[in-house]
């Protein structure tokens, strides 16, 4: 069969495209772009919470936070491996990230000012990630879809630990409740921006939906997230910082206020509160790890020579 027809038929039948299958160059480029950005987000995403590991308020919280941040490293690694199945090279992807030639999620360019931020990241940021990623378990590219299944299971644990942390703080003192509200005020709007630009301005959605890479548009997922989060905020006893947020009986959804899209543009283009710091930290880790990579390569080369001998 004509390979292009085969590709189209696989998509139409809701089956998976696998690494050795023929695929259009643009499909491959799109997949590498999305998977690499996703992998970079997981790796850069270790930083905001990682800053609190040494300052966690108890041994239990430290153990939980360590496990979560390690999970994020693991997610980054599955995703880089998925990108490699498309012919991408991990070193090249890392270099593109630290040279600012590839993106990562806007959300990780905001500072974590108190330990309540760790809880809010779990609740809102992992909550948004789950909303976005559960449909990606049905994404048309096999290795990506399969990586998403495991990642989503771990993100659900992350979200619950965040919510539990916040519930504990909300049962505490007035100062602790204030800390939570302050963190919610700072993270709410950036969490909504994680879903990307509005559909009308989204460059890739139409093609990615046609190829069944994306299963829902940015605005659909953002709405789903708002609807899911409002009752959780009520149960927690925090106020979401949006005076226009209210249930719309007719639509069967919550209406919400206008997002400051100029902020998203600024943060994506490198001018967010922590962009420079995040990249500098990642660059330093890459440079300081050079000897480990060199040692591992030398070991692999030696082992190969021994095999041949
Ligand atoms: N930040 O045409 P679209 C996590 C870019 S979760 C930065 O709508 P698309 C877990 C977009 O890349 C976070 N850039 O693009 C965790 C494109 O630029 P390009 C990661 C953004 O791809 C939790 C341009 O704008 N999750 O890490 C953003 O169809 C806690 C036009 O946009 C994923 O990556 C943004 N927010 O839709 C870790 C999920 N939004 O490439 C630690 C997989 C858009 O043309 C702690 N990705 N852009 O230069 C996706 O679902 C999609 O790629 C979207 C964007 C929905 C993010």
């Amino acid at each position: 069969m004509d390979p292009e027809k085969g590709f189209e038929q696989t998509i139409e039948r809701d089956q998976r495209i696998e690494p050795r299958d023929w695929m259009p160059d643009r499909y491959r480029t799109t997949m590498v772009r999305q998977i690499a950005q996703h992998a970079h987000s997981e790796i850069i995403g270790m930083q905001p919470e990682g800053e609190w590991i040494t300052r966690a308020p108890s041994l239990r919280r430290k153990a939980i936070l360590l496990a979560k941040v390690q999970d994020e490293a693991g997610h980054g690694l599955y995703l880089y491996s998925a990108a490699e199945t498309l012919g991408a090279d991990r070193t090249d992807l890392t270099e593109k990230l630290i040279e600012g030639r590839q993106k990562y999620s806007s959300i990780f360019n905001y500072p974590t000012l108190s330990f309540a931020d760790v809880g809010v990241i779990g609740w809102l940021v992992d909550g948004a990630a789950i909303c976005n990623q559960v449909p990606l378990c049905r994404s048309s590219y096999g290795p990506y879809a399969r990586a998403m299944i495991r990642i989503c299971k771990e993100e659900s644990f992350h979200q619950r630990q965040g919510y539990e942390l916040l519930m504990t703080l909300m049962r505490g003192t007035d100062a602790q409740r204030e800390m939570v509200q302050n963190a919610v005020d700072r993270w709410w709007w950036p969490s909504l921006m994680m879903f990307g630009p509005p559909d009308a301005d989204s460059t890739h959605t139409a093609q990615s939906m046609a190829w069944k890479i994306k299963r829902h548009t940015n605005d659909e997922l953002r709405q789903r997230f708002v609807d899911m989060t409002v009752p959780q905020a009520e149960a927690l006893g925090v106020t979401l910082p949006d005076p226009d947020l209210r249930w719309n009986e007719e639509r069967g959804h919550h209406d919400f206020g206008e997002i400051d899209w100029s902020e998203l543009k600024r943060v994506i283009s490198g001018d967010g509160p922590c962009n420079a710091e995040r990249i500098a930290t990642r660059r330093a880790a890459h440079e300081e790890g050079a000897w480990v990579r060199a040692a591992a390569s030398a070991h692999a080369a030696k082992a190969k020579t021994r095999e041949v001998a």
Side-chain angles (χ1 to χ4, degrees):
M1 193 198 297
D2 169 18
E4 191 162 358
K5 272 234 159 65
F7 171 84
E8 279 163 13
Q9 228 170 51
T10 306
I11 301 281
E12 206 174 294
R13 290 180 183 158
D14 242 339
Q15 291 166 339
R16 301 283 166 265
I17 304 293
E18 295 299 338
R20 287 184 190 161
D21 293 346
W22 184 91
M23 61 188 89
D25 287 345
R26 281 179 53 229
Y27 179 90
R28 188 182 296 277
T29 313
T30 298
M31 274 330 305
V32 171
R33 177 187 67 80
Q34 177 161 331
I35 298 174
Q37 286 179 4
H38 197 165
H40 298 329
S41 303
E42 296 281 358
I43 298 297
I44 296 279
M46 295 166 73
Q47 293 183 36
E49 291 163 287
E51 286 173 15
W52 283 91
I53 291 173
T54 54
R55 292 177 289 167
S58 68
L59 184 61
R60 177 172 172 266
R61 292 290 171 200
K62 188 194 283 248
I64 295 171
L65 187 54
L66 259 175
K68 181 182 192 283
V69 173
Q70 278 177 355
D71 284 352
E72 285 153 9
H75 298 174
L77 299 188
Y78 315 148
L79 288 164
Y80 283 126
S81 299
E84 282 178 330
T85 66
L86 290 156
D89 174 74
R90 194 169 137 194
T91 307
D92 177 55
L93 297 180
T94 301
E95 277 162 10
K96 283 184 172 137
L97 168 69
I98 59 184
E99 285 161 11
R101 290 189 286 131
Q102 264 177 357
K103 296 187 169 75
Y104 60 92
S105 181
S106 52
I107 193 74
F108 302 116
N109 292 306
Y110 293 86
T112 40
L113 303 182
S114 80
F115 198 71
D117 289 37
V118 170
V120 170
I121 289 179
W123 174 39
L124 295 180
V125 176
D126 283 282
I130 293 167
C131 238
N132 168 264
Q133 285 167 200
V134 166
L136 293 175
C137 297
R138 293 187 296 117
S139 185
S140 57
Y141 188 59
Y144 187 48
R146 288 189 288 274
M148 275 308 125
I149 294 172
R150 177 153 179 190
I151 291 178
C152 283
K153 283 187 185 153
E154 294 181 352
E155 308 276 38
S156 300
F157 156 71
H158 294 172
Q159 203 238 4
R160 288 167 64 167
Q161 71 79 34
Y163 198 74
E164 190 266 345
L165 193 168
L166 296 178
M167 278 205 306
T168 307
L169 284 172
M170 292 303 284
R171 283 195 297 264
T173 62
D174 283 347
Q176 285 172 314
R177 276 186 286 279
E178 248 171 61
M179 220 164 84
V180 174
Q181 184 61 55
N182 176 279
V184 171
D185 290 347
R186 286 180 288 106
W187 288 92
W188 173 247
W189 291 104
S191 299
L192 295 187
M193 293 175 200
M194 279 176 74
F195 294 90
D199 293 349
D201 299 334
S202 166
T203 339
H204 304 291
T205 295
Q207 181 61 75
S208 289
M209 298 270 287
W211 277 330
K212 297 184 182 168
I213 295 170
K214 282 169 90 162
R215 297 293 186 147
H216 303 279
T217 70
N218 300 353
D219 287 334
E220 282 166 9
L221 292 172
R222 193 169 4 251
Q223 180 71 62
R224 190 178 283 187
F225 174 69
V226 172
D227 291 340
M228 178 183 102
T229 309
V230 168
Q232 295 173 356
E234 278 164 15
L236 202 54
V238 295
T239 308
L240 297 173
D242 178 359
D244 298 322
L245 186 62
R246 64 181 60 87
W247 178 251
N248 182 326
E249 191 64 51
E250 221 169 274
R251 289 200 312 121
H253 290 292
H254 292 85
D255 290 338
F256 53 95
E258 185 60 27
I259 293 170
D260 180 357
W261 296 117
S262 64
E263 177 176 326
L264 177 64
K265 275 195 193 133
R266 246 192 346 267
V267 177
I268 290 183
S269 60
D271 193 19
C274 301
N275 295 58
E277 184 186 327
R278 300 288 184 243
I279 291 294
T281 303
R282 181 68 194 92
R283 177 186 289 277
H286 184 63
E287 287 169 359
E288 283 161 21
W291 70 271
V292 180
R293 293 190 297 278
S297 306
H299 176 73
K302 259 192 203 163
K304 213 172 184 179
T305 323
R306 256 184 247 128
E307 246 172 53
V308 173

